[in-house]
């Protein structure tokens, strides 16, 4: 146990654990099952990845989405961790190779899809090696009462039983009510698990509900105001997603879309472009699913109301995973209820037992009403969500659209009595829509069919619109004057309406005075503590990160998170020891990228001598001596002649492919990995590349000599519609690079 903090720093770059992490890590290392219910951004993955590095054997991580597995494995490899995934994206030969390596104990962590658990070949390979831990990610999928039930998750406990010696079993999710939590423990057979329920509050998220007259105009204006930020817009239907994407593109906004009606290749292209910051916004249905691993999403806009608080909180929670402030804006209209009722009525129940279908329908409709209540409430939005998940708070958050909005309180006691009269006349036969239509004197066909005009209450409230009337009924339901039945077609019933006979009883309804509170001054982020010179350095480091990411064909956040760049701007590290003090910089990241960022900071300080360092936490001197013992100075990268002979050349390769192949050939564990700056430095020395200065910063270009040798340049477009150049190298240049790094 004594070295887990050192391992945390070495691999992940953090000096201390977040809430709940240590308990779960130590529990797993002690051989106990673990259950983590932690909000998005709380660091759930470290709770099973860190034990996997310390425990003897391989950890199996069961994950529901191929794209999520691939992102996780790519990020782990950047940290120097042996990880792989097994899913349908691999061909038969690749799968056989992987299973062979699994049986030999090659991997620390292997991600698999739940459907793979029934494969005889996979189970046999697991039985031939030591499985230290089985982790279930997005564990709420195992519960039929959760929002993303997957029947394939029911295979997990059977798979664990086939392993012979039972490994540690871990389960993790961001959203789970008490019923879902109990279901997870039961269905997975967790034995006296160490539990960490760290709360559902995401204090960095700003929640608001808007009632725009034209949602498309609102969304377009919002995106234009946030062009420098990454965002997601969720739509309930493919039609809306296609329409909104077309509108943004016609308005000159570079964006992508993602829904189940697109082919896999198109979805993957847009998702990768979004994660790599090549497009600022993506418009998607809920098919843009769980665990999208992009930490710097600054807003999530819901064009339509989701079907449940669970769905909404999971989707909204994809904003602000890095801890910086982000906005979650829901655009609501009564039509959203019509759309969602239609979607629920046409829900696929193929994998559900017949006797459970009506129960699930009733549950779904109850959740939909609770979601509508969230959209209509004038109380604190954050507290509404927390109360739904069992966390009650008395004080308002003072940091949501309702707490900061402007409301007027209206006495609708007289109108409430007329609602009671209407419900009494109807004798509990009809729902809210019929009641509101009757009271306002609507001419809808359904009202004609039931002869609503014959009721004394018909047209009793002609001067109040149905939206306000629905708000009144929602208040009456909350205060117990009315009740509503469960089931597929809920109806209104009388509650404790006798209280309205008391002259002192009032029914007050709070209505928004303005549609959208001004929030720009509240949308602060950590960059504001840097000052102008510090922020300019932050931008320079961001450009360097983007350049390295493109060379490595990875997402920028896989190199360093935004918060880590901010910490660099505050600490201004001058050497490896000081760089290692920066939160988010681990041993592997230091070896791969440390020198490039140290050099960038040094170059910037030469022209900005007044920039002062402000350390986050302890001064470097207080920890340097202790940190030096953690840095193992490895030998400079070099290949032996025999290793170099194994390099597989291709007609054209990007620098990232060349680097990855060369690193894979090196068998010396005491040697540093080859980094991009060393390779590009060599090419610049040979006059094959040069540094071109532009208004957006510096970038690498091929010289005329390089072009003559066959180096190619391809124009591409960045997130801000700024062109950049992707460079590929022919066989002759590949051979020059390889031979340069052969020892002796």
């Amino acid at each position: 146990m004594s070295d887990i903090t050192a391992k945390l720093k070495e691999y992940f770059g953090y000096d201390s654990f977040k809430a709940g992490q240590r308990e779960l890590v130590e529990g797993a290392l002690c051989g106990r099952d673990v259950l983590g219910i932690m909000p998005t951004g709380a660091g759930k993955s470290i709770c099973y990845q860190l034990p996997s590095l310390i425990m003897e054997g391989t950890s199996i991580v069961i994950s529901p989405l191929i794209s999520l597995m691939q992102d996780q494995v790519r990020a782990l490899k950047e940290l120097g961790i042996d990880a792989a995934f097994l899913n349908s994206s691999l061909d038969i030969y690749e799968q056989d190779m992987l299973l062979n390596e699994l049986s030999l104990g090659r991997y620390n962590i292997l991600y698999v899809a739940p459907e793979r658990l029934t494969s005889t070949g996979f189970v046999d390979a697991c039985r031939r090696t030591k499985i230290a831990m089985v982790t279930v990610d997005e564990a709420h999928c195992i519960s039929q009462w959760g929002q993303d039930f997957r029947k394939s998750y029911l295979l997990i406990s059977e798979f664990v039983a086939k392993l012979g010696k039972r490994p540690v079993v871990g389960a993790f999710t961001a959203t789970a009510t008490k019923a879902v939590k109990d279901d997870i423990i039961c269905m997975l057979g967790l034995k006296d698990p160490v539990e960490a329920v760290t709360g559902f509050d995401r204090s960095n998220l700003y929640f608001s509900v808007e009632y725009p007259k034209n949602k498309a105009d609102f969304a377009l204006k919002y995106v234009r105001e946030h062009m420098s930020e990454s965002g997601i817009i969720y739509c309930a239907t493919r039609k809306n997603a296609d329409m909104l994407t077309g509108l943004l593109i016609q308005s000159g906004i570079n964006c992508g879309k993602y829904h189940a009606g697109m082919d896999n290749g198109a979805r993957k292209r847009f998702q990768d472009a979004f994660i790599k910051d090549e497009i600022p916004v993506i418009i998607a249905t809920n098919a843009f699913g769980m665990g999208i691993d992009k930490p710097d999403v600054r807003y999530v806009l819901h064009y339509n109301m989701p079907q449940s608080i669970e769905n909404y909180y999971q989707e909204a929670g994809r904003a602000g995973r890095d801890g910086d402030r982000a906005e979650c804006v829901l655009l609501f209209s009564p039509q959203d209820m019509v759309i969602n009722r239609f979607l629920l009525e046409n829900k696929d129940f193929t994998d559900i037992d017949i006797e459970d279908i009506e129960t699930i329908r009733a549950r779904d409709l109850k959740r939909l009403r609770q979601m509508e209540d969230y959209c209509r409430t004038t109380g604190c939005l954050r507290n509404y969500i927390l109360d739904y998940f069992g966390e009650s708070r008395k004080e308002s958050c003072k940091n949501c659209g309702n707490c900061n909005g402007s409301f007027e309180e209206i006495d609708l006691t007289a109108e409430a009595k007329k609602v009671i009269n209407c419900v009494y006349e109807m004798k509990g036969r009809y729902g809210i829509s019929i009641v509101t239509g009757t009271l306002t004197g609507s001419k809808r066909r359904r009202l004609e069919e039931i002869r609503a005009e014959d009721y004394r209450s018909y047209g009793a409230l002609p001067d109040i619109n149905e939206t306000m009337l629905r708000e009144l009924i929602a208040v009456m339901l909350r205060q117990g004057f009315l009740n509503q039945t469960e089931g597929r077609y809920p109806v209104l019933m009388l509650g404790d309406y006798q209280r309205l006979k008391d002259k002192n009883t009032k029914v007050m309804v709070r209505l928004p005075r303005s549609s959208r509170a001004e929030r720009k001054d509240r949308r602060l982020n950590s960059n504001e503590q840097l000052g102008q010179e510090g922020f300019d350095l932050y931008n320079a480091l961001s450009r360097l990160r983007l350049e390295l990411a493109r060379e490595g064909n990875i997402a920028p956040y896989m190199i360093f998170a935004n918060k880590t760049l901010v910490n660099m701007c505050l600490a201004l590290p001058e050497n490896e020891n000081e760089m290692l003090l920066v939160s988010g910089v681990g041993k592997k990241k230091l070896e791969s990228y440390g020198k490039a960022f140290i050099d960038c900071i040094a170059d910037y300080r030469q022209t900005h001598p007044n920039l002062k360092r402000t350390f986050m936490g302890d001064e470097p001197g207080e920890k340097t001596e202790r940190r030096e013992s953690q840095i193992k100075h490895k030998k400079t990268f070099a290949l032996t002649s025999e290793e170099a002979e194994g390099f597989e050349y291709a007609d054209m390769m990007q620098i990232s492919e060349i680097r990855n192949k060369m690193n894979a050939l090196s068998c010396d564990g005491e040697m540093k990995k080859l980094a991009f700056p060393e390779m590009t430095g060599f090419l610049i020395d040979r006059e094959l590349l040069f540094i071109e200065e532009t208004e957006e910063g510096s970038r690498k270009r091929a010289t005329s000599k390089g072009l003559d040798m066959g180096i190619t340049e391809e124009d591409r477009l960045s997130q801000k519609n700024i062109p950049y150049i992707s460079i590929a190298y022919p066989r002759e240049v590949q051979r020059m690079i390889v031979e340069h790094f052969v020892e002796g």
Side-chain angles (χ1 to χ4, degrees):
M1 295 297 179
S2 60
D3 69 341
I4 61 173
T5 304
K7 287 287 186 184
L8 179 71
K9 178 61 181 177
E10 177 183 350
Y11 283 97
F12 300 98
Y14 302 120
D15 293 310
S16 59
F17 289 96
K18 293 182 180 180
Q21 287 182 328
R22 179 178 285 275
E23 297 94 304
L24 294 170
V25 170
E26 290 181 345
L29 292 175
C30 288
R32 292 185 61 185
D33 290 348
V34 294
L35 171 62
I37 302 176
M38 308 159 77
T40 302
K44 291 185 292 295
S45 58
I46 283 179
C47 297
Y48 59 82
Q49 289 172 353
L50 186 56
S52 300
L53 301 177
I54 300 172
M55 301 165 81
E56 181 184 351
T58 299
S59 285
I60 302 295
V61 180
I62 299 164
S63 179
L65 292 175
I66 291 177
S67 59
L68 175 59
M69 295 183 207
Q70 294 170 335
D71 287 344
Q72 291 274 21
V73 169
R74 192 179 296 119
L76 287 170
K77 286 182 175 179
E78 280 294 311
L79 296 173
I81 297 169
D82 287 328
F85 57 81
L86 178 61
N87 56 43
S88 58
S89 69
L90 304 179
D91 61 34
I92 297 298
Y93 175 75
E94 290 172 324
Q95 292 181 29
D96 288 344
M97 289 288 291
L98 188 145
L99 291 177
N100 182 57
E101 291 177 331
L102 170 63
S103 63
L104 296 174
R106 156 80 191 279
Y107 303 110
N108 293 120
I109 302 174
L110 177 68
Y111 284 79
V112 300
E115 292 79 10
R116 186 67 50 178
L117 304 181
T118 58
S119 166
T120 302
F122 174 67
V123 174
D124 288 345
C126 289
R127 290 173 63 89
R128 289 196 299 270
T129 192
K130 180 177 177 58
I131 302 300
M133 185 173 181
V134 172
T135 294
V136 184
D137 200 10
E138 308 291 355
H140 60 271
C141 292
I142 201 170
S143 174
Q144 194 161 294
W145 314 117
Q147 76 274 21
D148 289 301
F149 171 64
R150 304 286 181 93
K151 195 168 185 178
S152 55
Y153 265 56
L154 301 178
L155 306 169
I156 296 173
S157 57
E158 182 181 344
F159 165 73
V160 171
K162 292 177 181 177
L163 295 178
K165 183 178 180 181
R166 186 181 186 276
V168 170
V169 179
F172 297 88
T173 182
T175 52
T177 60
K178 185 181 184 305
V180 172
K181 172 190 165 185
D182 293 343
D183 224 7
I184 291 171
I185 295 173
C186 176
M187 302 298 289
L188 288 178
L190 299 184
K191 299 180 179 179
D192 187 27
V194 175
E195 296 183 19
V197 182
T198 59
F200 293 91
D201 189 17
R202 300 273 310 282
S203 59
N204 63 312
L205 300 185
Y206 187 96
F207 294 97
S208 67
V209 177
E210 308 295 342
Y211 298 77
K213 292 181 180 179
N214 187 308
K215 289 186 178 185
D217 288 348
F218 183 102
L220 177 59
K221 183 174 183 292
Y222 188 96
V223 172
R224 281 177 171 161
E225 291 173 353
H226 298 79
M227 283 299 294
S228 63
E229 300 172 334
S230 290
I232 303 171
I233 302 178
Y234 279 106
C235 299
T237 64
R238 302 174 190 177
K239 180 180 178 181
N240 279 346
D242 290 336
M243 177 277 297
L244 197 57
T245 302
L247 175 64
L248 264 60
I249 291 174
Q250 288 174 9
S251 302
I253 296 172
N254 188 17
C255 65
K257 65 179 177 179
Y258 191 108
H259 60 64
M262 301 164 58
D263 64 74
N264 291 335
R267 289 203 303 266
K268 187 176 188 307
R269 284 196 301 275
F270 281 127
Q271 178 170 304
D272 289 347
F274 177 66
I275 289 174
K276 293 177 181 178
D277 289 340
E278 294 171 3
I279 55 175
V281 60
I282 191 162
I283 297 96
T285 62
N286 59 9
F288 194 62
M290 304 171 246
I292 297 303
D293 197 11
K294 181 173 172 59
D296 59 345
V297 174
R298 295 272 67 84
Y299 66 88
V300 171
L301 192 66
H302 274 83
Y303 193 81
N304 302 106
M305 181 189 76
Q307 294 177 356
S308 70
I309 296 293
E310 289 99 331
N311 286 352
Y312 176 65
Y313 202 48
Q314 186 179 71
E315 291 166 4
R318 287 167 192 144
R321 288 168 57 104
D322 55 6
D324 276 354
R325 299 189 187 186
E327 285 194 343
C328 306
V329 184
L330 196 162
L331 309 185
F332 176 73
S333 71
Q335 182 66 17
D336 290 334
M337 287 297 292
V338 176
I339 293 172
N340 279 311
R341 283 186 180 277
F342 173 81
L343 293 174
L344 290 178
E345 286 172 2
N346 291 275
K347 185 174 181 177
D348 182 11
F349 286 103
T350 303
D351 293 330
I352 305 299
D353 293 335
I354 294 176
E355 57 267 28
D356 290 333
I357 291 178
E358 283 307 312
T359 303
I360 294 174
R361 284 191 187 279
R363 176 211 64 183
D364 288 345
L365 287 169
K366 180 180 179 181
R367 287 177 172 173
L368 183 60
R369 289 197 296 273
Q370 290 168 319
M371 188 70 241
E372 180 187 20
D373 200 24
Y374 169 84
C375 295
R376 295 184 180 279
T377 183
T378 55
C380 174
L381 294 171
R382 187 182 311 278
N383 285 359
Y384 188 100
I385 292 171
L386 295 179
D387 185 65
Y388 180 87
F389 288 109
E391 291 184 29
S392 296
R393 293 188 179 182
K394 295 181 180 178
E395 299 295 326
S396 297
C397 74
K398 310 299 183 187
N399 187 37
C400 73
N402 282 6
C403 287
N404 294 327
S406 177
F407 293 91
E408 57 183 328
E409 199 165 45
I410 302 175
D411 184 348
L412 294 181
T413 307
E415 288 80 0
K417 291 177 179 178
K418 292 182 179 181
V419 172
I420 293 294
N421 291 338
C422 183
V423 173
Y424 175 80
E425 276 192 281
M426 292 183 170
K427 302 184 185 303
R429 287 180 291 177
Y430 301 114
I432 291 176
S433 182
I434 294 294
V435 171
T436 57
T438 299
L439 286 165
T440 57
S442 174
K443 299 297 184 181
R444 295 197 296 266
R445 178 176 297 179
R446 176 60 179 149
L447 295 175
E448 293 176 357
E449 291 174 353
I450 67 170
R451 300 186 63 82
E453 67 273 11
D454 291 344
Y455 289 116
R456 292 192 302 274
S457 300
Y458 184 78
L461 294 174
D463 298 325
I464 185 171
N465 63 51
E466 287 199 39
T467 299
M468 185 181 294
L469 193 50
R470 283 178 175 272
E471 295 287 352
L472 171 60
I473 292 173
V475 170
M476 294 175 71
L477 285 167
R478 285 197 294 269
Q479 295 182 359
F481 298 116
L482 294 173
N483 294 322
Q484 191 174 32
T485 63
E486 302 293 338
R488 191 172 181 181
Y489 303 106
V491 298
L492 288 176
M493 308 283 288
L494 294 176
D496 186 13
Y497 68 94
Q498 297 290 349
R499 285 185 291 133
L500 285 173
K501 294 180 179 180
D502 186 338
K503 294 181 180 179
N504 296 320
T505 300
K506 301 291 183 185
V507 180
M508 309 297 294
V509 177
R510 292 177 74 214
L511 297 174
R513 195 188 305 274
S514 58
S515 64
R516 188 168 189 245
E518 182 60 42
R519 292 191 292 275
K520 275 200 170 182
D521 291 344
R522 290 191 295 276
R523 298 195 69 250
L524 307 175
N525 57 58
S526 55
N527 296 343
E528 295 184 3
Q529 61 190 296
L530 299 176
Q532 187 57 52
E533 285 191 336
F535 187 68
D536 289 343
L537 172 59
Y538 174 86
N539 285 333
L541 295 179
S542 296
R543 289 193 294 270
L544 171 62
R545 179 181 63 175
L546 186 60
E547 184 178 340
L548 293 172
R550 285 169 179 161
E551 289 178 345
N553 194 30
I554 58 177
Y557 73 83
M558 291 182 181
I559 294 177
F560 289 122
N562 289 350
K563 189 170 290 186
T564 301
L565 297 189
V566 171
N567 291 339
M568 288 183 192
C569 296
L570 295 168
L572 301 177
E574 297 177 351
N575 53 53
E576 287 191 349
N577 287 335
E578 290 185 359
M579 180 62 88
L580 194 61
L581 296 176
V582 175
S583 179
V585 180
K587 183 178 176 182
K588 180 62 168 61
K589 293 288 183 74
L590 180 70
E591 292 176 359
S592 299
Y593 308 112
K595 185 178 185 303
F597 282 85
I598 291 170
D599 290 347
C600 182
I601 292 168
D603 291 344
Y604 186 85
R605 294 186 73 185
Q606 285 184 357
T607 57
H608 298 79
N610 295 324
L611 187 61
K612 303 296 183 184
R613 63 167 65 190
T614 305
F615 280 94
M616 307 290 287
D618 299 332
E619 290 293 317
E622 299 177 29
K623 289 189 178 180
T624 299
E625 184 177 346
R626 179 156 50 92
R627 286 284 185 261
E628 284 179 342
S629 63
Q630 297 177 9
I631 304 175
K632 187 173 183 180
H633 295 286
K634 292 188 174 183
K635 297 180 290 186
T636 302
F637 178 87
L639 294 175
T640 65
S641 299
E642 292 78 11
E643 289 170 342
E645 289 177 1
F647 189 91
E648 296 181 5
Y649 295 92
D651 290 338
M652 298 297 291
M653 269 194 239
Q654 292 185 330
I655 198 77
S656 59
E657 299 174 275
I658 302 171
R659 185 197 75 151
N660 293 342
K661 287 189 175 185
M662 292 176 69
N663 281 329
L665 289 170
S666 176
C667 300
D668 190 342
E670 300 301 314
M671 185 175 289
K672 288 183 178 180
K673 294 293 185 181
L674 181 58
F676 295 123
E678 298 172 72
M679 302 173 71
T680 53
F682 163 71
L683 294 169
I684 291 171
D685 289 342
R686 290 298 179 93
E687 299 182 348
L688 300 179
L689 296 181
F690 72 99
I691 302 298
E692 180 183 62
E693 297 296 335
T694 69
E695 292 182 0
E696 290 76 31
S698 59
R699 62 181 181 179
K700 297 180 182 67
R701 294 290 307 275
T703 63
S704 56
K705 177 181 176 182
L707 294 172
D708 289 342
M709 290 190 67
I711 296 176
T712 63
E713 296 181 340
E714 180 183 352
D715 291 328
R716 293 188 180 179
L717 205 60
S718 75
Q719 170 187 348
K720 299 179 181 179
N721 291 327
I722 298 172
Y724 73 91
I725 295 172
S726 176
I727 302 175
Y729 302 88
R731 288 176 182 268
E732 183 178 352
V733 178
Q734 296 167 32
R735 193 174 302 280
M736 289 173 61
I737 296 172
V738 173
E739 291 177 352
H740 173 72
F741 289 97
V742 174
E743 59 185 1

